[in-house]
Amino acid sequence: GDSVTQMEGPVTLSEEAFLTINCTYTATGYPSLFWYVQYPGEGLQLLLKATKADDKGSNKGFEATYRKETTSFHLEKGSVQVSDSAVYFCALPLSGNTPLVFGKGTRLSVIA
Amino acid sequence: DVKVTQSSRYLVKRTGEKVFLECVQDMDHENMFWYRQDPGLGLRLIYFSYDVKMKEKGDIPEGYSVSREKKERFSLILESASTNQTSMYLCASVTGLKNTEAFFGQGTRLTVV
């Protein structure tokens, strides 16, 4: 069945460091791909998405490119801030009778 | 502003109590989900619903039931709360259209003592 594998955390970075969180997926067809973010004490919210191969999603300085050939959707940011401290989830959308599929989440802590 | 609203942010219940967690969405979404979130385990699907009065078991339905009498409301019921159900519970909804994003409530942190 469909699945998502993302790198385990936690990840601790200094402010202005470069961030990469790896995500690979297994899916039937070519679904959209999502990154969600969960700030402390809150629910998940959509960070960015890509709808087809080679698309790049971007938001708040984060980027991710849909790579069909490597079935990957890695999240990157060039210069992280303390306010980026959160848990990040890679996800596949609802598809037919298959519920939303999430990675296990990666906790990011950014220290000043 | 679209919204998924969970009835409580924090709940403390006693072992053996029947617990109701309510979730309401105002987006006319067909699909609604209940997850629990525990450290190191990510999001685990408890139940989901594709339509009114329809429900499907997720990965960890034991000890839980659900009710969806109206399209906008999806309730999670803990029939007899136990300490191992202490967790963060998240409700989500999504339209029936393909490849659309899910919207989440703010979460309910339940502690069973």
Side-chain angles (χ1 to χ4, degrees):
Chain A
D2 294 359
S3 66
V4 171
T5 303
Q6 68 180 96
M7 68 185 262
E8 302 270 333
V11 174
T12 302
L13 295 173
S14 297
E15 212 165 20
E16 300 183 2
F18 184 84
L19 169 71
T20 300
I21 300 177
N22 291 336
C23 170
T24 57
Y25 67 91
T26 302
T28 304
Y30 302 105
S32 293
L33 298 172
F34 300 91
W35 277 100
Y36 289 83
V37 59
Q38 183 182 31
Y39 297 107
E42 298 182 13
L44 281 70
Q45 58 186 271
L46 184 70
L47 177 62
L48 56 82
K49 68 178 182 181
T51 57
K52 61 183 186 295
D54 299 324
D55 257 7
K56 178 183 284 187
S58 61
N59 186 25
K60 300 183 180 181
F62 290 89
E63 293 183 337
T65 301
Y66 190 153
R67 302 280 187 204
K68 186 177 68 173
E69 61 277 7
T70 54
T71 61
S72 65
F73 192 52
H74 305 322
L75 183 68
E76 296 182 335
K77 187 173 186 181
S79 176
V80 294
Q81 305 300 312
V82 172
S83 57
D84 294 327
S85 298
V87 182
Y88 294 83
F89 294 88
C90 187
L92 294 171
L94 180 69
S95 174
N97 289 329
T98 304
L100 311 169
V101 178
F102 289 91
K104 290 201 168 181
T106 302
R107 181 175 298 278
L108 169 67
S109 297
V110 181
I111 53 177
Chain B
D1 195 19
V2 296
K3 274 199 172 164
V4 178
T5 304
Q6 295 183 227
S7 52
S8 304
R9 289 294 297 266
Y10 301 94
L11 274 180
V12 180
K13 296 292 182 181
R14 295 194 180 280
T15 301
E17 278 193 77
K18 190 169 187 176
V19 181
F20 294 85
L21 303 183
E22 306 286 347
C23 176
V24 177
Q25 50 98 0
D26 64 0
M27 296 165 281
D28 202 36
H29 284 171
E30 292 83 358
N31 306 288
M32 297 186 74
F33 304 83
W34 275 106
Y35 294 87
R36 64 177 281 177
Q37 183 179 20
D38 300 289
L41 298 178
L43 297 173
R44 293 183 291 167
L45 182 63
I46 306 171
Y47 268 97
F48 58 104
S49 169
Y50 290 122
D51 204 348
V52 175
K53 297 193 185 295
M54 293 182 69
K55 59 185 179 184
E56 298 284 342
K57 292 181 179 179
D59 300 319
I60 52 163
E62 296 79 17
Y64 303 94
S65 62
V66 291
S67 171
R68 191 154 181 215
E69 296 296 318
K70 293 186 178 182
K71 191 175 186 180
E72 67 270 20
R73 186 180 297 268
F74 191 35
S75 303
L76 180 69
I77 303 155
L78 286 66
E79 298 290 344
S80 177
S82 64
T83 55
N84 63 12
Q85 293 179 309
T86 291
S87 186
M88 170 71 93
Y89 290 88
L90 292 166
C91 175
S93 74
V94 63
T95 179
L97 297 174
K98 291 178 69 174
N99 291 316
T100 51
E101 69 178 279
F103 292 85
F104 282 81
Q106 76 277 27
T108 297
R109 184 163 295 282
L110 172 67
T111 302
V112 182
V113 297

